[in-house]
Amino acid sequence: MSTNHDDVRDFLVSRRARVRPEQVGLPAGANRRVAGLRRGEVAMLADVSVEYYSRLERGSLSGVSEGVLHAIAGALLLDDAERDHLFDLARAANASPVRAARRRSTTPKTLRPGLQYALDAFTGGPAFIRNDRLDVLGANALGRALYADLFRKTERPNLARAAFLDREWSDAFYPDWDLAADQSVAILRAAAGHDPHDRELQDLVGELSTRSPEFRTKWGAHDVRRHGTGEKHFVHPVVGALDLLFEGSRLMGDPALSFLLYTAEPGSPTADALRLLGSLDATERRDAAHAADPAAADGRA
């Protein structure tokens, strides 16, 4: 039996509350008692009965057709990420327990050697591979240097946990903490819609909800987002401000994982800062290797 009724209901209610009547060609009126659209207005725009839409908004997406989902998405002015989320919620509502278990079993917890080799081969900027729970499963040298404070604490840092529970680090690392936190929550929310049965994700959300009031508030907004391309802004404790471009994509062989590359505009201060970060990191790793085994580090072993 599906367990995502509450998520369906809260998502649809939150999206309906966000749409103003004038955005969809309806009169606003002076005596409206609800924020955004009424249920009947959404039903009219989607060309379904009020009773049927009310059933959907109560959280029951069982048996809903793709045509109706597209119509609801259009009526609520959903963007691409929100539309995908609605379809994910519907698929989860109709998935059998066997299919859900099969999907959970395909999420890798470590990287194949070839993936780590691919990361190491990219030297133009930080690169890492993460899952939908924002666990960093592997990184290249610059990626580890970028998140050095996190990798010193654990070999598999979780970016959401660090953002909300390690505020000394995240407040300094993110020049706009609120934006970075919103993005992390929106990625987790999309992941929860894709697989509401992911026990590790449920545990992470439960932990963050218990320990962070800010996370609870943002989680309740039901915002989702894609993480395909854009800009990232960091303040590294050693080299300072970094204004990076990022490109992200799903791995064909492991679709539960995302490969992210950060680059800097050639000739920019960030490009200079990355070169410095790489040089400092190489020196630090060489010194650590020398301290551990002086003969091997000097090539005499």
Side-chain angles (χ1 to χ4, degrees):
M1 180 177 294
S2 171
T3 60
N4 72 342
H5 279 63
D6 290 346
D7 286 341
V8 172
R9 180 194 64 225
D10 293 343
F11 178 68
L12 289 176
V13 169
S14 67
R15 300 310 94 172
R16 177 165 62 85
R18 189 190 56 180
V19 182
R20 300 187 306 275
E22 57 270 25
Q23 289 179 278
V24 292
L26 296 175
N31 298 313
R32 299 183 69 88
R33 297 181 179 180
V34 297
L37 299 179
R38 302 183 178 97
R39 287 192 188 92
E41 291 169 332
V42 177
M44 179 190 68
L45 292 167
D47 196 24
V48 298
S49 70
V50 177
E51 292 76 13
Y52 185 69
Y53 177 73
S54 296
R55 180 175 75 82
L56 299 182
E57 198 175 273
R58 286 194 295 271
S60 179
L61 291 181
S62 179
V64 65
S65 70
E66 289 192 2
V68 168
L69 291 175
H70 281 297
I72 297 298
L76 295 176
L77 305 182
L78 303 187
D79 63 23
D80 290 343
E82 292 167 332
R83 185 180 295 263
D84 288 347
H85 185 59
L86 178 60
F87 274 78
D88 279 342
L89 291 172
R91 277 189 287 271
N94 289 283
S96 70
V98 173
R99 289 180 60 191
R102 186 180 300 120
R103 180 166 57 194
R104 288 196 300 276
S105 69
T106 61
T107 303
K109 297 183 181 300
T110 58
L111 295 186
R112 301 190 309 276
L115 289 177
Q116 186 61 57
Y117 300 154
L119 285 169
D120 293 338
F122 182 75
T123 58
F128 64 96
I129 293 174
R130 63 158 177 81
N131 60 24
D132 288 339
R133 294 185 293 272
L134 296 180
D135 298 317
V136 178
L137 303 185
N140 67 352
L142 274 173
R144 294 182 69 89
L146 176 65
Y147 294 109
D149 289 343
L150 301 185
F151 277 105
R152 290 189 186 102
K153 299 172 184 177
T154 175
E155 273 301 302
R156 197 175 78 170
N158 180 275
L159 298 180
R161 185 179 286 112
F164 285 96
L165 303 185
D166 191 349
R167 290 297 299 270
E168 182 178 358
W169 172 81
S170 62
D171 284 345
F173 189 71
Y174 298 114
D176 188 341
W177 180 88
D178 204 55
L179 175 61
D182 283 340
Q183 292 172 341
S184 293
V185 173
I187 292 169
L188 294 181
R189 175 59 80 178
H194 183 66
D195 185 4
H197 307 286
D198 184 333
R199 174 58 61 183
E200 290 185 70
L201 178 57
Q202 292 173 5
D203 290 345
L204 175 63
V205 171
E207 176 191 2
L208 296 177
S209 297
T210 299
R211 299 178 61 186
S212 171
E214 294 89 348
F215 180 86
R216 287 198 300 274
T217 298
K218 293 178 184 299
W219 185 252
H222 284 264
D223 291 330
V224 294
R225 77 183 298 265
R226 290 178 173 175
H227 197 72
T229 185
E231 298 181 6
K232 291 283 189 177
H233 304 283
F234 307 117
V235 179
H236 191 273
V238 176
V239 299
L242 296 171
D243 301 314
L244 297 166
L245 304 174
F246 76 88
E247 297 289 338
S249 64
R250 294 283 184 177
L251 298 178
M252 293 182 64
D254 291 298
L257 302 182
S258 294
F259 198 125
L260 289 100
L261 304 177
Y262 290 165
T263 58
E265 181 180 352
S268 66
T270 294
D272 294 338
L274 285 181
R275 280 192 293 272
L276 175 59
L277 180 61
S279 176
L280 294 172
D281 175 68
T283 299
E284 181 178 338
R285 287 188 286 113
R286 184 173 60 248
D287 290 347
H290 188 277
D293 189 344
D298 290 339
R300 297 192 302 268

